[in-house]
Structures are given as C-alpha cells and as structure tokens.
Amino acid sequence: MIEQLLHTWQDPHSRHALLVHFPVALCALGVLPLIALAMTGFKSYNLKIVCLAWFAIASLGAFLAGQAGQAARPDVQAATPPLTAAQADLLHDHQELGEKGWMWPLIPGGLVAITFIDRRGTRNAAGALAIIASIGVGGVIGYTAHLGGQLVYVHGLGVPQRTPVP
C-alpha cells in the first residue's frame, strides 16, 4: 500500500489529482465557517481563527496542486496524438487560472483578519466582504476545476493509457 502511495506521489498527474480536491472542497465550502462567524456578529475569536486557518490551508493546498499541475504539463503537451487547438486553449486557460489559484483564498482570509479590529463597523464590513469574496473564490476555483475536469474526462488528457483487459 505504501509502495502504491509513493508511486502515486511520484507521478505528477496522479499527485495533481490527489492534491487538487482538497483546496477545491475548502474553497467551495469556505462560506460556511464565515456564516457561522457572521452569526456571532463577527466577534468570535475562535471562529476567526478557524476561518483564517481554513483559507490558509486552502491556499497552501492550491499552491501544492498548482506545482503538481506544472510538473504534469510537459507530459500533456507531448501527448500523442498532438493536442488539438481546442485542447491547447483549454489547457492554457486551466493553467492560467491554476497558477494564481493559491492567491484567491487569501482574499477572504485577509478580510477575516481585518475583523480583529475592534470597531463594529469595520468588523462587520470586513466580515460581509469576506462572505462575498468566499463565494467568488468558490466560483473561480470551481471553474478552474471544471476546466481541469474537461481536460481529463472529455479530452482524456493527463490520464494513463488504458490497457485492454485480456
């Protein structure tokens, strides 16, 4: 089992697939702890820490997934048969969004950090903006994931060759 996990980790395509789901899920669900924080009037210290950690971990996960995706790109570009123009465009769009994917979760995280300022108006405005930003981040990360899913499931790129069953 450990041998299989090490093999998966060494293959950039598999590593990307393994890593990408965690930040996608965190970004898609990031609004939930923010709503819980809003229910406290953006006052709960513990929920602020949870939200900060949530978005920091999502950012780190997106960074690691992006690095694995960068490592996998040369193999995808060297695919046989060569990429069609549509596939190359899709890969380009996915890569452009993915390269910056680690930054997006830092926006609601930074806004949560502002809620530590002990002024009600500032705290509430920053918290409300964090909720809006987290919805936007979920959308951008979700769209990036959708493009990656199109590459894999529609175009069959980045997956091992299937061998016929005897």
Side-chain angles (χ1 to χ4, degrees), residues 8 19 29 34-35 43 47-49 53 75 94 112 115 119-121 134 137 141 146 157-158 161:
T8 296
L19 292 171
L29 299 173
L34 287 170
I35 290 171
K43 292 179 184 177
L47 281 173
K48 289 177 189 183
I49 297 299
D75 291 342
H94 178 66
V112 168
T115 67
R119 291 172 60 198
R120 188 172 142 212
S134 74
V137 167
I141 297 295
H146 170 71
L157 299 176
Q161 292 295 327

Side-chain angles (χ1 to χ4, degrees), residues 108-126:
L111 289 164
V112 168
I114 294 171
T115 67
F116 282 100
I117 296 172
D118 196 22
R119 291 172 60 198
R120 188 172 142 212
T122 301
R123 185 178 61 239
N124 289 343

Side-chain angles (χ1 to χ4, degrees), residues 80-141:
T80 305
L83 298 180
T84 66
Q87 291 170 334
D89 288 345
L90 190 60
L91 180 61
H92 175 266
D93 292 348
H94 178 66
Q95 178 190 6
E96 286 293 311
L97 288 168
E99 284 176 349
K100 295 167 187 66
W102 67 272
M103 289 187 266
W104 295 110
L106 297 178
I107 297 169
L111 289 164
V112 168
I114 294 171
T115 67
F116 282 100
I117 296 172
D118 196 22
R119 291 172 60 198
R120 188 172 142 212
T122 301
R123 185 178 61 239
N124 289 343
L129 288 172
I131 290 172
I132 293 166
S134 74
I135 293 168
V137 167
V140 169
I141 297 295

Side-chain angles (χ1 to χ4, degrees), residues 34-52:
L34 287 170
I35 290 171
L37 179 59
M39 293 170 63
T40 71
F42 300 105
K43 292 179 184 177
S44 171
Y45 178 84
N46 290 336
L47 281 173
K48 289 177 189 183
I49 297 299
V50 167
C51 291
L52 287 173

